[in-house]
Amino acid sequence: MNYSLGLVVGKFWPPHRGHQLLLETAAAQVAELLVLVYAQPDDPAHPAPERAAWLRELYRGDDFAQGPRSGATPLRIVALTAADGIPPDAAADEVHREFVHQWLARHGYQPQVVFSSEAYGPGFAQHLGAAHVLVDAARQQVPTSGTELRAALAAADTAIPPPAAYLHPFVAAQYGAVPPTPVPRLVLLGAESSGKTTLATALAEALGTVWVPEYGRTLHEQKNGALDYEDLLYIGRRQLELEDEATRQARGWLICDTNAATTALYSYYYFHRCEVALQRLAQVCRPRYAHTFVCLPTVPFADDGWRGPEMLRQFQHGAILMQCDMLGIPYTLLDGSVEERVAQVRAVLG
């Protein structure tokens, strides 16, 4: 660590991969990173506090298998609003510099270094009496900007072309969008013990590709069944990241065991509520997956110690079908042996 406290200031409207590069580069060089999020005028649909919450979710830093990640730099992400007296975006650089300087002084922060990707960075850092580190100012590593992305999102429906490919899928979903993917995805849904995992393994072998396990099950086991409410949003976000990682090895199709809609369903099941951000992940499941298959709960029930009673399977199955219908997600029901279900999927894929 070169510095004890670093500072990043920005609109993060929307937070994109360039911002992530900036934050991760900064976090690697400081013991603690302060991130200020503000704009004036602000985005009325997703104001600064909401965008800051997205960033906190992206950088939770949890590894439940081993506890919090050792050596991870804490990010203190703060949203500023009109109550803080923020100046208009069009105000002179000197006005913004002094506003941040006074805010930092009032809250007892004294950063040693400022990280930015903009021309204002060196003068801003000098005004604060801090060093400056410039990160990808030429936009060579992440060739996009907030201005380009706002225009792309405004013009898009659900599937959005570049430069919106530079949005994390969690963030894109908050705008009702799905970044393009090089490999189409199919998703398997079903009640507990309906054969999804067995079918996913068989399909991957039959199609010569890879499959993505249900992360909610993984985390449930790691935490010995003691999931917290906040974990459900984390599960939805982490599942998308695992899917994106798996596309590098996928051939033809990527097979996904469950989707964010099911995660939202379990949020209501366990906690009787669901984060808006997770609801938005569920709402874009239709364009995210080229095909949705629902496994009928007709295979023998296997009690592995983690599942609910067998009588819940029929209720869960009905809830999944209702959710697909209400979200406008077309689906194909799968029944029979594993081999028969594989054949049914292949018939749909053509």
Side-chain angles (χ1 to χ4, degrees):
M1 300 296 181
N2 299 327
Y3 304 95
S4 58
L5 179 64
L7 174 67
V8 172
V9 176
K11 295 179 183 178
F12 298 93
W13 180 4
H16 56 71
R17 299 288 190 183
H19 292 132
Q20 291 187 256
L21 173 65
L22 174 63
L23 295 177
E24 290 161 18
T25 301
Q29 301 181 48
V30 298
E32 183 178 11
L33 183 63
L34 174 63
V35 183
L36 301 184
V37 181
Y38 75 89
Q40 180 66 280
D42 205 354
D43 179 359
H46 305 290
E50 187 173 0
R51 301 195 303 276
W54 300 344
L55 289 172
R56 293 189 201 102
E57 175 56 38
L58 290 179
Y59 293 103
R60 273 179 51 141
D62 291 329
D63 180 351
F64 288 102
Q66 302 175 358
R69 291 184 304 178
S70 59
T73 296
L75 272 64
R76 186 179 298 274
I77 301 169
V78 180
L80 306 184
T81 66
D84 295 288
I86 57 178
D89 292 347
D93 285 350
E94 292 77 9
V95 174
H96 283 277
R97 294 171 184 173
E98 185 57 22
F99 163 72
V100 174
H101 177 72
Q102 293 184 18
W103 187 93
L104 293 170
R106 287 197 306 272
H107 292 82
Y109 292 111
Q110 189 173 356
Q112 288 79 48
V113 58
V114 172
F115 296 85
S116 81
S117 300
E118 307 288 348
Y120 72 78
F124 176 47
Q126 184 178 24
H127 188 83
L128 299 180
H132 179 255
V133 174
L134 189 63
V135 180
D136 195 28
R139 303 294 194 273
Q140 293 181 337
Q141 296 184 61
V142 185
T144 191
S145 69
T147 301
E148 288 181 304
L149 288 167
R150 285 194 292 276
L153 289 167
D157 183 9
T158 51
I160 51 179
Y166 295 106
L167 286 174
H168 188 288
F170 170 81
V171 174
Q174 308 311 309
Y175 291 89
V178 177
T181 177
V183 180
R185 308 178 189 196
L186 66 84
V187 63
L188 304 177
L189 306 180
E192 293 179 343
S193 191
S194 59
K196 289 192 290 91
T197 300
T198 302
L199 179 58
T201 304
L203 274 173
E205 182 177 357
L207 299 177
T209 188
V210 297
W211 68 284
V212 184
E214 180 182 1
Y215 181 70
R217 171 63 182 259
T218 302
L219 186 62
H220 190 261
E221 293 180 4
Q222 289 175 354
K223 298 192 71 175
N224 199 29
L227 291 179
D228 299 316
Y229 172 66
E230 293 77 12
D231 291 335
L232 275 296
L233 179 58
Y234 175 61
I235 289 167
R237 187 260 295 177
R238 188 71 186 120
Q239 189 80 37
L240 296 181
E241 293 173 344
L242 293 172
E243 289 179 9
D244 281 358
E245 292 168 12
T247 57
R248 301 165 191 164
Q249 291 80 42
R251 297 292 181 270
W253 289 94
L254 177 65
I255 300 163
C256 304
D257 183 348
T258 204
N259 63 10
T262 299
T263 304
L265 195 64
Y266 276 105
S267 183
Y268 283 110
Y269 176 73
Y270 285 117
F271 302 101
H272 305 164
R273 56 195 174 117
C274 181
E275 287 291 311
V276 171
L278 179 53
Q279 293 175 28
R280 291 175 181 147
L281 292 184
Q283 288 164 1
V284 295
C285 281
R286 175 174 181 171
R288 188 180 305 282
Y289 303 98
H291 293 285
T292 297
F293 297 93
V294 181
C295 297
L296 281 162
T298 51
V299 299
F301 182 78
D303 187 356
D304 61 0
W306 296 103
R307 293 171 175 144
E310 182 177 2
M311 67 182 67
L312 283 177
R313 285 204 303 176
Q314 296 300 324
F315 174 79
Q316 291 169 342
H317 179 68
I320 289 168
L321 298 185
M322 180 184 72
Q323 189 183 49
C324 286
D325 288 339
M326 294 186 72
L327 291 174
I329 299 174
Y331 57 86
T332 300
L333 292 172
L334 303 176
D335 198 6
S337 66
V338 175
E339 293 76 15
E340 289 171 329
R341 294 184 182 200
V342 169
Q344 291 162 26
V345 171
R346 300 193 75 160
V348 171
L349 300 183

